[in-house]
Amino acid sequence: MAFINAWASASRVGVHEVIPPSFVLPSKIPVRPSSGIFKLVPHVDANSKLVTQRYVFNKNAISALKLKAKAPVGNDNSRENANQFWVSKVEVVSAIIWKALISIAREKHGHLIPSVMVQNLNLRGRTSPLMPDNTCGNFYSVATARSTPDQSNIELHFLVALIRDAIRRTIHGYSKSELDSDEFFSTVTSKFNEARDEMQRPVGESHFIWCSSWCKIPFYEADFGWGKPSWISNACRIAEMVTLQDTKSGEGVEAWVTLKGVHEAIPPSFVLPSKIPVRAIKRIFKVVASVDPNSKLVTQRYVSDKNAISSLKLKAKAPVGNDNSGVNANQFLVSKVEVGSAIIWKALINIAREKHRHLIPSIMVPNLNLRGRTFPPVPDNTCGNFCSVARDEMQRPAGESHFIWCISWCKIPYYEAYFGWGKPSWMSNGCRIAEMVTLQNTKSEEGVEH
């Protein structure tokens, strides 16, 4: 930017009125073997599909986010309490985008995974000796913030604190050494290698996002003689990149977010058999009985929209004052899968009562996806029937109990399947197993089809 502004000023008022850009940086930092750190940003294939979206945060939006980013009063975590004093617009916008990307990764993998944000950090004015702003060259370092898979760690104020702490640690590391010292070079190498190690983790083990702030860089002051820019944009060819820049007023922030396109899919994993040693488990594969192809099965479809789900959730909350602690837990949160399964089960219990003329024990067995629920966690792209169920109940004699099987396909992104001719308008399923309930999202994802 020093070069562009000097060039613009020379064009407008003449070269003798310009503070020239400085190219002394290479002489201040002796050459050392450093080939490893230059491999930090991966090469992007020219044919890969990247999608860039622009989000604008105006002055009022940033003020509201800053208010939310302040840690709750009384929190004993000193790192979070630092947010009580001042939060910058770069910190809060970086954190809100990071929070959104963590949520997207959680939906994709079905559970929270570690997430890493790496911030580019301008070293001008932060080293000894100080390098002025008109110094040309890539004189920057990186600050690595890591969020662990804990629900509380994706709160806005906590993410702001993680970003701030990473930046402060990085600045402190550079302030203690001279530019030409081995200690300075060691700090450079360690910071870049820390970020490189994070971004090279296997897909599904952690989520990585890069952030570069162009805020306070005076792009809108560049005047070549025909006026200052009306708008500045940028083009990025690096996936998982967030670039921040000031709006023209200087009070807001534009966030340019570049992510991999829809065809940059995570390849399916077939490692599950190698993770679970073969044992004598032939009996458990007989849980689902074979269905006679000549037997007559009737499938009916019921749709519960958003309003119906909300009404059912309200009914599903236990009456206040009930002393059963398990039931009182419903006072807090009831999922649409839980309430959708329960209302169907209730109806089938009533049908069984009419059939047998009295209530009999009734069993519902939900299939439970074990991805993300074992140690070590198995990612969502793992292929195979990795689920858990009950077996003995379904083998009771007819009339002794009533059995119903339930499987939820909710949160499985069927409607995101895109083969090039558009996303599905409706998804259905065909089942050849008796006493089976299958749940799936409606296209809006707000309702449930039974």
Side-chain angles (χ1 to χ4, degrees):
M1 195 60 217
F3 179 81
I4 291 175
N5 278 336
W7 182 12
S9 298
S11 301
R12 193 176 66 255
V13 300
V15 92
H16 300 294
E17 302 295 326
V18 175
I19 300 176
S22 170
F23 297 93
V24 301
L25 189 58
S27 65
K28 298 290 184 181
I29 306 176
V31 176
R32 290 179 171 86
S34 56
S35 59
I37 65 173
F38 294 109
K39 296 178 182 177
L40 183 56
V41 179
H43 171 71
V44 177
D45 183 1
N47 296 319
S48 64
K49 182 176 180 181
L50 301 181
V51 178
T52 299
Q53 291 183 299
R54 169 177 164 261
Y55 303 91
V56 180
F57 299 82
N58 62 22
K59 179 182 178 180
N60 293 335
I62 289 174
S63 297
L65 287 173
K66 285 183 177 181
L67 192 62
K68 290 182 180 180
K70 289 186 177 181
V73 176
N75 192 318
D76 293 331
N77 189 315
S78 59
R79 183 168 62 186
E80 293 183 4
N81 276 335
N83 294 359
Q84 293 291 341
F85 301 103
W86 182 73
V87 180
S88 75
K89 65 181 182 181
V90 170
E91 290 172 337
V92 77
V93 173
S94 301
I96 196 67
I97 291 175
W98 191 16
K99 176 179 171 68
L101 294 174
I102 289 173
S103 297
I104 291 171
R106 177 175 57 187
E107 291 298 315
K108 180 179 181 180
H109 296 283
H111 57 92
L112 282 172
I113 61 174
S115 184
V116 176
M117 173 169 275
V118 173
Q119 290 262 0
N120 281 6
L121 185 64
N122 182 9
L123 291 181
R124 291 166 182 81
R126 289 167 167 158
T127 58
S128 178
L130 299 178
M131 301 303 295
D133 282 350
N134 67 326
T135 304
C136 288
N138 290 323
F139 191 45
Y140 76 100
S141 185
V142 290
T144 303
R146 182 178 176 86
S147 172
T148 55
D150 182 338
Q151 184 69 38
S152 64
N153 285 15
I154 65 169
E155 295 300 323
L156 184 62
H157 68 272
F158 195 90
L159 295 178
V160 167
L162 289 177
I163 292 170
R164 172 175 295 182
D165 186 57
I167 291 173
R168 285 180 175 173
R169 284 188 286 107
T170 301
I171 293 174
H172 179 69
Y174 285 104
S175 65
K176 298 186 297 181
S177 56
E178 297 288 329
L179 277 179
D180 59 354
S181 67
D182 290 337
E183 186 179 357
F184 181 86
F185 181 76
S186 176
T187 302
V188 171
T189 304
S190 65
K191 295 298 180 184
F192 276 89
N193 285 345
E194 179 185 2
R196 183 187 63 189
D197 292 343
E198 291 290 352
M199 69 183 297
Q200 289 179 340
R201 292 182 184 275
V203 174
E205 185 176 312
S206 69
H207 167 253
F208 182 92
I209 191 74
W210 196 288
C211 184
S212 181
S213 172
W214 292 0
C215 294
K216 294 188 178 180
I217 298 178
F219 291 110
Y220 287 100
E221 298 303 313
D223 184 357
F224 289 85
W226 52 79
K228 296 179 180 180
S230 59
W231 181 53
I232 297 291
S233 65
N234 77 82
C236 179
R237 287 297 300 165
I238 301 174
E240 315 307 308
M241 168 67 82
V242 176
T243 305
L244 308 181
Q245 64 185 56
D246 289 322
T247 55
K248 189 172 184 180
S249 68
E251 296 179 332
V253 173
E254 292 186 18
W256 295 69
V257 183
T258 302
L259 304 173
K260 287 184 179 180
V262 292
H263 77 280
E264 297 290 329
I266 298 174
S269 170
F270 298 94
V271 301
L272 190 58
S274 66
K275 299 291 185 181
I276 306 175
V278 176
R279 292 182 172 90
I281 53 176
K282 290 189 292 183
R283 292 182 66 221
I284 69 172
F285 293 109
K286 297 179 181 178
V287 171
V288 180
S290 173
V291 176
D292 181 359
N294 297 318
S295 63
K296 183 177 180 180
L297 301 180
V298 178
T299 300
Q300 290 182 297
R301 170 176 166 260
Y302 305 91
V303 180
S304 301
D305 62 13
K306 179 182 177 181
N307 294 333
I309 294 291
S310 298
S311 177
L312 288 173
K313 284 183 177 181
L314 192 62
K315 290 181 179 179
K317 288 186 176 181
V320 176
N322 192 317
D323 293 330
N324 188 312
S325 59
V327 176
N328 275 335
N330 293 358
Q331 294 292 339
F332 300 102
L333 176 68
V334 180
S335 74
K336 65 181 181 181
V337 171
E338 291 170 337
V339 78
S341 304
I343 195 66
I344 296 291
W345 191 15
K346 176 180 171 67
L348 294 174
I349 289 174
N350 288 332
I351 291 172
R353 178 173 56 185
E354 292 297 317
K355 179 180 179 180
H356 297 281
R357 301 185 180 277
H358 61 89
L359 281 172
I360 61 172
S362 184
I363 308 295
M364 174 171 272
V365 175
N367 274 16
L368 182 63
N369 181 8
L370 294 181
R371 291 164 183 81
R373 291 167 168 153
T374 57
F375 183 81
V378 173
D380 277 0
N381 66 323
T382 304
C383 291
N385 291 321
F386 193 41
C387 62
S388 180
V389 292
R391 171 180 176 270
D392 292 341
E393 293 291 347
M394 69 182 296
Q395 294 180 333
R396 295 180 183 275
E400 184 177 314
S401 68
H402 169 252
F403 181 91
I404 190 73
W405 195 285
C406 183
I407 183 169
S408 170
W409 291 358
C410 295
K411 294 190 177 180
I412 298 178
Y414 291 109
Y415 286 102
E416 296 303 312
Y418 181 68
F419 290 90
W421 51 80
K423 295 180 180 180
S425 58
W426 180 58
M427 295 294 299
S428 65
N429 75 82
C431 179
R432 288 295 300 165
I433 301 174
E435 314 305 313
M436 168 68 82
V437 175
T438 304
L439 309 180
Q440 66 183 54
N441 283 336
T442 56
K443 189 171 184 179
S444 69
E445 297 188 354
E446 294 178 333
V448 174
E449 294 187 18
H450 315 264

